[in-house]
Amino acid sequence: MVAKRIIPCLDVKDGKTVKGVNFIGLQDVGDPVELGARYASEGADELVYLDISATFEGRSTFTSLVERISDRINIPFTVGGGISSLSAASDLLDAGADKISVNSAAIADPTLIDSLASRYGSQFVVLAIDAKLSPDGRWLATTHGGRVLTERELFSWAHEGQERGAGEILLTSMEHDGVRKGYPCALFSEFCSSLHIPVIASGGAGSTDDIAAVLTEGRADAALAASIFHYGTCTIGEVKKELAARGIKVRL
Amino acid sequence: MTTIVDYRMGNLRSVKNALSRLGAEFTVTSDPELILAADRVILPGVGNAAEAMDNIRSEGLAEVIRSLRRPVLGICIGMQILCRHSEEGDTDCLGVFDTDVRRFEASADLKVPHMGWNGIGNLDSKLFKGVNGGSFVYFVHSYRPELCCDTVATCNYGGLFSAALKYENFYGTQFHPEKSGDTGEAILRNFLSL
């Protein structure tokens, strides 16, 4: 069977990799291409680059950076952040991105998913969902980096995305993102079991235990993490060896 | 000189970059003359089999590709269109490889697309010189070629399918060697030295 994937996420702002706690308090953690190349050589299975400045400040996506990444990196990578049209996606594909992730723009216009999937194939389209627990206890999708709560219920939105042709879901719990206290495994387990496309779990990894939990109890197909890798808490190689020792199938 | 066939099926850049990293010389073209004159031909491709075959036919490349006698490597969709038929869009393909392409049956235990790194086995081609059975390569696809007499590598995802095919001078990989790290580079290097 296919190996569980470990995916470092590089949030990029103004051409530099940053990662903050709950998306606030950004710190510069390095050049995106160099950091990506280092992660690839350490055993990362894929990379995700999110242009976090795009939605906030209306910046267009970062095509020239994507070209540099594609020149250098020999594993797949996903690019996201502010992608709201077929032409923007097409530019990124031409620049060498293997997949694009859509988030706020798909919530504003869900047919964007259909257009992207029918033009470029489902394998190209990742639906990213930043979910937050509403005051009445429902998980809802948010936009604008978690700042705007929508009325879209997490599960029904993910199913709609799947039916419209998304090839993968990247689910981030905004309650857990960046605080390194673990992923919400019960939520992930129910979520992953309800879908027939792969799910990448994001938001909250603080240790190998957390990653192991979301890949087993949480039934996720892949785990995305940033802080623990950027800050050197552990290397990707160490995490994957430890996962393998616990009987989780990973690529070593 | 290696020729990469441009038939408007996406992500040529990954293949170009992979060849550049290996120091190979290449051209990218849809010109039948240049394709016929090439030492080696790579047929890349991401997307939909029906659209891929439409583009191959509208560029007048179906017979050109079938007539090639130098090494040809089809990658992903580029391999699928070398098979007989694809269930995707009920598409008649080029019929070089003696097999059909069918969709994975999705279930709670079998996510579709098959996305990520999976091991390949039963390696039986010069394409895999120096590559160990069980090596991981990167797949992303919802349709897969069935096992047949041309199968030279297998992969298990809800059952075995053809991860690579070979017939005479034609080779195909369902996985993406250009995205498969060091293992993928070894496979591409082997193709370039055929």
Side-chain angles (χ1 to χ4, degrees):
Chain A
M1 290 303 289
V2 68
K4 301 284 190 182
R5 287 169 282 156
I6 301 300
I7 307 175
C9 178
L10 293 85
D11 289 346
V12 176
K13 187 167 195 276
D14 305 325
K16 289 186 173 169
T17 319
V18 291
K19 181 66 196 181
V21 176
N22 293 331
F23 279 10
I24 296 161
L26 303 173
Q27 289 179 28
D28 185 357
V29 291
D31 175 69
V33 179
E34 293 307 317
L35 192 56
R38 197 184 93 201
Y39 287 150
S41 72
E42 288 174 358
D45 294 306
E46 291 180 25
L47 301 172
V48 170
Y49 287 92
L50 293 178
D51 185 5
I52 60 165
S53 53
T55 308
F56 288 161
E57 295 159 21
R59 281 196 14 211
S60 61
T61 41
F62 46 156
T63 311
S64 62
L65 175 63
V66 173
E67 287 177 354
R68 282 175 57 219
I69 296 164
S70 171
D71 289 346
R72 180 75 183 274
I73 308 260
N74 63 5
I75 60 169
F77 68 97
T78 302
V79 166
I83 299 166
S84 57
S85 67
L86 270 181
S87 69
S90 172
D91 289 347
L92 292 166
L93 178 72
D94 291 342
D98 297 288
K99 312 180 206 178
I100 50 117
S101 75
V102 289
N103 190 334
S104 299
I107 286 179
D109 175 15
T111 64
L112 179 64
I113 301 169
D114 306 66
S115 323
L116 288 167
S118 63
R119 179 66 190 85
Y120 302 109
S122 290
Q123 83 294 327
F124 183 60
V125 187
V126 181
L127 176 61
I129 307 178
D130 294 336
K132 218 168 188 170
L133 213 45
S134 71
D136 61 1
R138 293 180 304 154
W139 282 94
L140 298 176
T142 66
T143 61
H144 300 83
R147 293 188 308 180
V148 180
L149 203 61
T150 72
E151 272 306 307
R152 287 185 183 274
E153 192 275 324
L154 168 64
F155 282 68
S156 68
W157 174 228
H159 278 262
E160 183 178 337
Q162 172 176 277
E163 296 318 310
R164 288 183 181 276
E168 198 165 32
I169 304 266
L170 167 56
L171 173 59
T172 304
S173 160
M174 298 309 288
E175 309 291 335
H176 300 75
D177 188 55
V179 295
R180 292 192 260 174
K181 290 193 173 160
Y183 304 84
C185 286
L187 170 70
F188 272 104
S189 174
E190 192 186 348
F191 187 75
C192 297
S193 310
S194 76
L195 293 160
H196 62 69
I197 56 177
V199 175
I200 305 170
S202 159
S207 66
T208 306
D209 286 342
D210 295 337
I211 294 174
V214 82
L215 295 176
T216 52
E217 283 170 54
R219 304 183 59 128
D221 300 283
L224 179 139
S227 310
I228 66 165
F229 299 136
H230 296 336
Y231 298 133
T233 312
C234 33
T235 69
I236 292 167
E238 287 164 3
V239 167
K240 291 179 79 175
K241 272 192 201 125
E242 178 62 34
L243 294 175
R246 299 182 192 197
I248 297 169
K249 187 173 172 184
V250 290
R251 174 183 71 113
L252 287 177
Chain B
M1 179 77 84
T2 298
T3 292
I4 300 172
V5 180
D6 179 6
Y7 60 115
R8 293 173 280 120
M9 289 305 289
N11 219 349
L12 293 179
R13 195 180 176 100
S14 302
V15 175
K16 290 195 286 187
N17 286 338
L19 294 186
S20 295
R21 284 193 293 267
L22 294 172
E25 286 185 35
F26 59 87
T27 53
V28 180
T29 186
S30 58
D31 182 343
E33 301 279 317
L34 291 176
I35 295 168
L36 286 165
D39 296 327
R40 262 174 222 92
V41 173
I42 295 182
L43 202 54
V46 171
N48 173 295
E51 193 186 344
M53 276 309 299
D54 282 349
N55 292 1
I56 287 284
R57 291 203 179 92
S58 68
E59 298 281 354
L61 293 177
E63 275 316 307
V64 170
I65 290 168
R66 262 197 290 249
S67 71
L68 293 169
R69 288 296 168 261
R70 299 276 176 78
V72 177
L73 176 64
I75 299 173
C76 193
I77 288 289
M79 172 218 220
Q80 294 185 0
I81 61 173
L82 291 169
C83 296
R84 286 186 310 225
H85 179 269
S86 174
E87 220 171 61
E88 188 175 23
D90 188 17
T91 305
D92 284 325
C93 299
L94 295 169
V96 171
F97 299 129
D98 192 20
T99 191
D100 294 331
V101 177
R102 293 190 199 283
R103 192 173 166 85
F104 288 111
E105 292 290 332
S107 71
D109 297 320
L110 198 76
K111 299 293 183 86
V112 177
H114 172 216
M115 189 176 298
W117 298 79
N118 205 336
I120 48 174
N122 300 305
L123 306 180
D124 182 23
S125 160
K126 281 188 266 184
L127 208 53
F128 299 109
K129 193 178 146 210
V131 176
N132 296 325
S135 293
F136 284 93
V137 290
Y138 190 80
F139 290 89
V140 50
H141 59 125
S142 300
Y143 295 79
R144 81 283 188 269
E146 301 193 308
L147 296 179
C148 67
C149 53
D150 299 331
T151 302
V152 292
T154 60
C155 177
N156 189 0
Y157 193 65
L160 290 179
F161 67 90
S162 295
L165 294 163
K166 175 188 181 293
Y167 177 73
E168 295 182 344
N169 55 311
F170 289 88
Y171 298 79
T173 62
Q174 180 56 65
F175 55 88
H176 289 269
E178 76 281 14
K179 284 288 164 184
S180 294
D182 296 343
T183 300
E185 287 185 357
I187 293 166
L188 284 175
R189 204 176 288 116
N190 288 338
F191 175 72
L192 294 171
S193 50
L194 283 172

